[in-house]
Amino acid sequence: MFPLGMVVFPHQQLGLYVFEDRYQQMLADLDPDRRFGTCLIARGSEVGGGDERLSIGTVVEVLAAQPFNDGRALILVEGVHCCEVTTWLDDAPYPRAMVRERLCVDCGIDPILLKSTESTVRALRALQSEVNADECIQSNCSMDADPKVRSWQLCSMTPMSTLDQFKVLSLSDPSDRLRLLAEICCERYGDYQRMLAIDSSHRSLN
């Protein structure tokens, strides 16, 4: 397991910098499928151990790796599916756990709900780019045709707090996940509007 200070969603690609000896060993111990688990740290730091971890996470697969001579590495991973930790084992030397795949509710996704949520996410990202372009570099992301994959992609595209990320990940019903995502976007949209208004006010005073 690789505890992180952020949530990784299924079908999200993420770059990780592996520099601690324990995680270098973890990479060396991976099975041929090159997969390991990630989970959110509830309290503590990513570095050094001693952290408190949440039990819902994501299994990721290593897509590419750039090792360095001293053992450090840059890796590109992609989320595969949600998982749930049933038992934490001793860190020997890296975090280990017994996990099971956490299946999503097998139900169809309302295309209207999916389309409206996607529009809401894109509107929020467009407004975010006005507030801070560095936080939202890519506005026109390539989206998968599969509704379930697309719904997860929308989760990774949405600017939200780590707590909200975990709430979204924890929902097993994709429709509930999309509804919560839309609610979060509406709240964040108001936040960005207020930030723009304050910035505009400061410019007027100057």
Side-chain angles (χ1 to χ4, degrees):
M1 295 293 291
F2 199 140
L4 296 169
M6 63 172 292
V7 168
V8 182
F9 293 107
H11 305 288
Q12 177 183 5
Q13 291 188 3
L14 177 72
L16 295 175
Y17 176 42
V18 181
F19 61 91
E20 287 190 81
D21 291 343
R22 54 180 179 158
Y23 293 121
Q24 293 175 25
Q25 184 61 52
M26 184 193 75
L27 286 181
D29 291 345
L30 291 182
D31 292 332
D33 62 8
R34 303 286 284 169
R35 293 182 177 184
F36 59 89
T38 65
C39 64
L40 180 65
I41 295 173
R43 181 178 290 107
S45 170
E46 292 183 3
V47 181
D51 50 273
E52 294 182 19
R53 307 154 190 162
L54 297 177
S55 60
I56 302 297
T58 303
V59 171
V60 302
E61 180 179 357
V62 179
L63 300 181
Q66 176 59 61
F68 299 102
N69 292 334
D70 59 2
R72 295 174 299 132
L74 291 174
I75 61 174
L76 176 66
V77 302
E78 181 174 358
V80 180
H81 59 73
C82 294
C83 66
E84 182 176 2
V85 173
T86 57
T87 305
W88 282 104
L89 306 175
D90 292 336
D91 289 11
Y94 46 81
R96 301 179 305 135
M98 301 294 294
V99 302
R100 62 187 176 197
E101 183 174 354
R102 187 169 174 273
L103 299 176
C104 292
V105 175
D106 188 13
C107 61
I109 297 178
D110 182 353
I112 296 177
L113 174 61
L114 180 61
K115 185 176 181 179
S116 64
T117 304
E118 181 172 340
S119 297
T120 304
V121 171
R122 291 191 181 278
L124 177 61
R125 286 172 62 87
L127 185 61
Q128 180 193 23
S129 68
E130 295 183 37
V131 177
N132 192 336
D134 292 339
E135 292 181 359
C136 193
I137 297 173
Q138 189 175 11
S139 58
N140 295 313
C141 301
S142 176
M143 304 294 288
D144 199 279
D146 185 321
K148 293 182 179 179
V149 176
R150 200 180 189 95
S151 68
W152 280 121
Q153 289 177 320
L154 290 175
C155 295
S156 63
M157 288 172 58
T158 302
M160 54 181 155
S161 69
T162 304
L163 178 58
D164 282 337
Q165 288 178 344
F166 183 74
K167 289 179 180 178
V168 170
L169 181 72
S170 298
L171 293 175
S172 58
D173 187 316
S175 295
D176 289 343
R177 195 159 50 240
L178 288 171
R179 294 187 187 97
L180 177 57
L181 207 59
E183 291 177 10
I184 293 170
C185 284
C186 289
E187 293 175 359
R188 293 289 288 167
Y189 199 90
D191 293 338
Y192 284 129
Q193 283 183 317
R194 286 187 287 273
M195 292 170 68
L196 280 175
I198 292 173
D199 184 60
S200 177
S201 174
H202 286 169
R203 287 200 301 268
S204 297
L205 290 175
N206 294 335

